[in-house]
Amino acid sequence: MPHRFTARAVVVGDRAGTVVPDAVVDVDDGLIRWVGPAADAPPADDAEVTALPGLLMPGLVNTHSHAPMVLFRGQGEGLPLDRWLREVMWPREARLTADDVEVAMTAASAEMLRNGVTTSVEMYFHPDRIAAAVRATGARALVMATLIPMPGMPPLEQQLADALTLFRSAPDDGSVEYGIGPHAAYTVPLPVLREAAVLTREHGMLLHLHVAETATEGADLLATHGLSVPALLAAHDVLGGRVLAAHCVHMDDGDLALWQEYDVAVAHCPASNAKLASGIARLRDMLDRGIRVGMGTDGPASNDGLDLLADLRLAASFARLAGRDATALTAAEAVWLATGAAADAVGRPDLGQLTAGRRADLVHVDTRDLVFEPVGDPADLLAHLVWSGAGRHVRDVWVGGRQVVRDGRSTTVDVDDLRQDVARRAARLAEG
Ligand SMILES: [Zn+2]
């Protein structure tokens, strides 16, 4: 049945920061059919009508996440990275079961939906269980089959073959797409990265890996090969497909030129980069070079919120601080980085904007809150979203036209049950 939404305003999610006041969004069969001012709307006599007091914006696209790590949120707080990994993370992950991952992902997916994040790129163990979790909450995900040499994991060749099998098993409704997620160039051998790249190019899959997150991670590779990680990836034929690189904090001009040449997209994770003291990525330089960039939260053990809307404030703040320039990132661009630009970064033109033909992933932000006033110009809503907005202002969410959050509550899963289950599992994993 066709569905008409009316709202105080529609935030389109495009680069120009278009805001349509007193707007209508028509949805049918999971897709957006029409968007524009109410005064110009076509007749819709047979449509169900939902009148919303706030603004409608596209479902946010989180370009980098390890969401099942809600099991480890806040653990090892304040430790340096090496001790945090050796003493806190790895012992817990060694005890992790597939059920733990599915329960944690279900809880985290519900949390993301509650924050207006309708799609996330997930890189973690047990990708099939991550997909099952997302289908239970009604969200979308691009689930990477993680490629990492680790005790307890099959040989890398087998991991690659399994990834292709998974890719072919994906449902055709746009809810889950599988890709390949080699952890990084310093953990996965270059020939395997190259094989993964060849496979993803051949099948149009997303290849997602960490690049230049810390200042020192590429030091051994530089000493061995005399090349930066981006140059090494280019030299080993890893670039050129649908490649999404997370973090990209320590990039020189030559590295950025390679990203531009090979159209590598960047998952920008300012909250994680700050918490782990990794550095400030060259966001303005990337955008000026035409590099595709989307916002990411990173995992909840290194963010810790899964609140992409709140992270926009960090993205804008850091870009301005780094450039000592209050115009270095506008509010309109910041919103675009979590919507249209993020969908573009992950190679999904069916998501990320409220325009006719795209999937009806809609977020209703309740603007009956003092932080959303005053609005002299409709574009003021973008400033309020970035500088004062957060997931707590999200009231309702639809994915493919189906309501998955109503009045701030999940319509699909029991979040109180899930929270208790996550707490029990986290306690068991911490015991050892
Ligand atoms: Zn990560």
Side-chain angles (χ1 to χ4, degrees):
M1 182 182 175
H3 197 159
R4 167 161 291 183
F5 297 87
T6 65
R8 174 186 187 180
V10 158
V11 170
V12 170
D14 56 353
R15 187 166 199 169
T18 305
V19 181
V20 185
D22 190 15
V24 156
V25 176
D26 283 336
V27 170
D28 194 16
D29 202 19
L31 298 177
I32 297 167
R33 303 297 179 175
W34 194 86
V35 180
D40 301 342
D45 301 333
D46 57 339
E48 177 190 347
V49 177
T50 301
L52 301 167
L55 66 83
L56 263 182
M57 65 185 298
L60 307 180
V61 177
N62 181 357
T63 64
H64 183 61
S65 169
H66 319 278
M69 294 176 83
V70 289
L71 288 162
F72 314 127
R73 184 175 259 158
Q75 302 308 290
E77 165 57 23
L79 288 178
L81 182 66
D82 59 329
R83 286 189 58 203
W84 181 75
L85 286 172
R86 276 186 290 105
E87 297 171 24
V88 180
M89 298 310 301
W90 290 342
R92 283 167 173 75
E93 287 188 331
R95 295 187 277 271
L96 198 64
T97 67
D99 284 346
D100 292 335
V101 169
E102 183 166 340
V103 167
M105 184 66 209
T106 309
S109 175
E111 180 181 330
M112 282 192 278
L113 286 174
R114 173 65 188 81
N115 288 333
V117 176
T118 51
T119 300
S120 63
V121 177
E122 296 296 338
M123 181 196 279
Y124 208 57
F125 308 104
H126 306 293
D128 55 325
R129 305 297 286 273
I130 291 174
V134 163
R135 288 176 72 77
T137 63
R140 300 185 198 281
L142 289 89
V143 184
M144 301 303 105
T146 302
L147 214 59
I148 187 161
M150 237 178 96
M153 293 279 283
L156 286 168
E157 285 299 325
Q158 186 62 47
Q159 292 184 33
L160 269 176
D162 293 346
L164 186 59
T165 307
L166 261 184
F167 174 69
R168 290 180 163 144
S169 75
D172 60 6
D173 58 5
S175 60
V176 170
E177 176 190 340
Y178 289 104
I180 302 184
H183 174 261
Y186 64 95
T187 48
V188 179
L190 284 162
V192 179
L193 285 175
R194 184 198 155 103
E195 265 187 80
V198 168
L199 201 64
T200 51
R201 283 200 293 261
E202 193 181 322
H203 298 279
M205 301 162 77
L206 186 67
L207 183 77
H208 182 38
L209 72 172
H210 297 89
V211 176
E213 179 175 0
T214 69
T216 53
E217 71 184 32
D220 290 349
L221 290 166
L222 184 64
T224 310
H225 303 275
L227 294 172
S228 70
V229 168
L232 205 54
L233 294 173
H236 283 76
D237 194 25
V238 180
L239 307 180
R242 195 177 150 199
V243 180
L244 174 66
H247 300 287
C248 302
V249 175
H250 300 277
M251 304 276 286
D252 64 19
D253 287 347
D255 297 331
L256 290 181
L258 283 172
W259 264 204
Q260 195 176 355
E261 181 184 344
Y262 288 97
D263 193 24
V264 175
V266 172
H268 178 52
C269 306
S272 160
N273 294 343
K275 188 190 177 197
L276 302 178
S278 304
I280 298 179
R282 297 173 60 186
L283 178 59
R284 185 72 255 165
D285 292 338
M286 292 175 186
L287 295 176
D288 287 345
R289 283 166 167 81
I291 294 169
R292 290 176 295 133
V293 182
M295 286 287 297
T297 56
D298 205 356
S302 48
N303 178 301
D304 285 358
L306 291 170
D307 189 346
L308 205 59
L309 199 50
D311 288 359
L312 294 184
R313 189 173 177 182
L314 291 177
S317 297
F318 292 154
R320 293 178 183 195
L321 275 171
R324 300 197 181 188
D325 174 3
T327 68
L329 193 78
T330 65
E333 283 178 308
V335 171
W336 170 66
L337 286 176
T339 53
D344 197 24
V346 304
R348 288 291 297 267
D350 56 327
L351 307 175
Q353 285 193 35
L354 299 190
T355 48
R358 298 203 188 210
R359 295 186 192 273
D361 298 356
L362 315 176
V363 170
H364 172 220
V365 175
D366 198 339
T367 55
R368 292 173 303 178
D369 185 305
L370 191 55
V371 304
F372 286 100
E373 304 292 352
V375 181
D377 182 287
D380 290 345
L381 287 168
L382 299 175
H384 297 326
L385 271 176
V386 171
W387 296 108
S388 312
R392 69 180 179 278
H393 297 116
V394 170
R395 184 168 156 193
D396 305 285
V397 179
W398 293 261
V399 176
R402 172 194 184 202
Q403 189 159 19
V404 293
V405 174
R406 179 181 293 121
D407 279 331
R409 301 285 298 176
S410 171
T411 66
T412 52
V413 293
D414 185 328
V415 290
D416 293 322
D417 265 8
L418 285 163
R419 173 173 46 78
Q420 290 169 29
D421 202 353
V422 166
R424 272 193 303 272
R425 289 169 189 274
R428 189 198 86 237
L429 292 167
E431 266 167 24

